[in-house]
Amino acid sequence: AIVRSPQGRLFVADKTGRIQRFGPGGEVEKVWRTPVYKAGMPVGMGLAPDGRLFVADTHYNRVLVYSQEGELLDQFGKAGRGDGEFEMPTDVVVDADGYVYVSETGGNDRISKFDPQFQYIKSFGSAEQGEAATCRPVGMTLAADGTLWVADAVNHRLAQFTREGRFVKAIGTSGNEPGRFRYPYDTAELPDGTLVVAEFGNNRLQQVTTDGRSVRTWGGAGWHV
């Protein structure tokens, strides 16, 4: 997982259970480890407007909250399928008002919303919600217009929700042609309002408009630089 602060710092979680903070010039500024990591490492992170780093501690079914100096400030969540519980949380984002959104795979396949005190509010995108149902939602991004875009991996699409959890639309279908996706695992918004999508199945990045038109693709399968 990787996330960038407004000041240009990068926070990177790797397969050793470390979180590293890099300065704008690429210099290592801070290194720390999650409390436990033998069962697996975090796969998603998000920065709150106040600078706190939220870490989806995937294999321990919780969210860790750190200062940018690596101090563990708080944590919430436990394994389960009930309200406020997690099965394999994959990503976490925090909106301008401090509300927290956590995506899950496992058997839950949903996005859960929490208030700024980490109290559970609601879930959406779960299996019983028809066209809004997600299947392995892996990565999320909050767009400038306040909506939430979800990389809905097994449905091979990006799903758009309001912050209240109302389904707006989805773009993309399964395939390798421009405008199609195969297992999109993450997405981010660019300054011009388009979205970049990391596709696990197609081994590429794709830039798309919010109505699903492909702007360009780059990358491909292989081992060479």
Side-chain angles (χ1 to χ4, degrees):
I2 186 169
V3 66
R4 180 182 181 274
S5 77
Q7 296 75 33
R9 285 173 164 165
L10 290 177
F11 297 83
V12 181
D14 65 27
K15 288 189 174 183
T16 69
R18 295 182 303 176
I19 297 172
Q20 298 187 73
R21 191 185 86 197
F22 295 88
E27 65 278 10
V28 178
E29 295 180 337
K30 201 80 176 179
V31 181
W32 68 91
R33 277 190 164 83
T34 54
V36 285
Y37 46 86
K38 287 188 177 180
M41 279 62 70
V43 301
M45 299 190 295
L47 278 171
D50 63 7
R52 288 175 299 165
L53 180 68
F54 284 67
V55 178
D57 197 8
T58 308
H59 297 84
Y60 293 92
N61 301 297
R62 62 187 178 181
V63 173
L64 304 172
V65 185
Y66 287 98
S67 74
Q68 293 198 11
E69 298 301 312
E71 177 188 2
L72 182 60
L73 303 174
D74 215 330
Q75 61 183 44
F76 63 97
K78 63 178 182 178
R81 297 193 174 186
D83 293 348
E85 297 176 339
F86 300 132
E87 279 199 349
M88 304 289 284
T90 54
D91 203 7
V92 54
V93 294
V94 185
D95 71 20
D97 299 314
Y99 289 87
V100 183
Y101 306 80
V102 183
S103 57
E104 304 170 64
T105 57
N108 287 341
D109 288 309
R110 64 187 181 186
I111 297 94
S112 292
K113 181 177 180 178
F114 298 82
D115 71 14
Q117 290 73 47
F118 313 139
Q119 298 301 305
Y120 172 83
I121 297 176
K122 67 189 303 182
S123 295
F124 53 94
S126 50
E128 69 277 4
Q129 293 184 340
E131 66 174 350
T134 60
C135 188
R136 201 189 300 167
V138 183
M140 301 182 291
T141 192
L142 278 166
D145 65 4
T147 60
L148 181 69
W149 285 94
V150 179
D152 189 8
V154 176
N155 286 328
H156 309 289
R157 66 180 190 173
L158 297 184
Q160 185 185 28
F161 295 89
T162 67
R163 290 190 295 174
E164 290 69 41
R166 180 179 62 84
F167 179 72
V168 179
K169 67 181 179 184
I171 59 173
T173 56
S174 179
N176 57 15
E177 301 89 349
R180 295 175 179 263
F181 307 123
R182 289 191 66 240
Y183 300 102
Y185 268 23
D186 206 356
T187 185
E189 186 183 44
L190 296 179
D192 64 0
T194 60
L195 300 165
V196 172
V197 186
E199 297 179 62
F200 175 78
N202 282 330
N203 298 289
R204 69 184 182 188
L205 296 174
Q206 182 169 188
Q207 182 184 1
V208 297
T209 63
T210 55
D211 60 2
R213 180 177 57 85
S214 181
V215 178
R216 60 173 175 150
T217 66
W218 64 100
W223 296 98
H224 296 291
V225 176

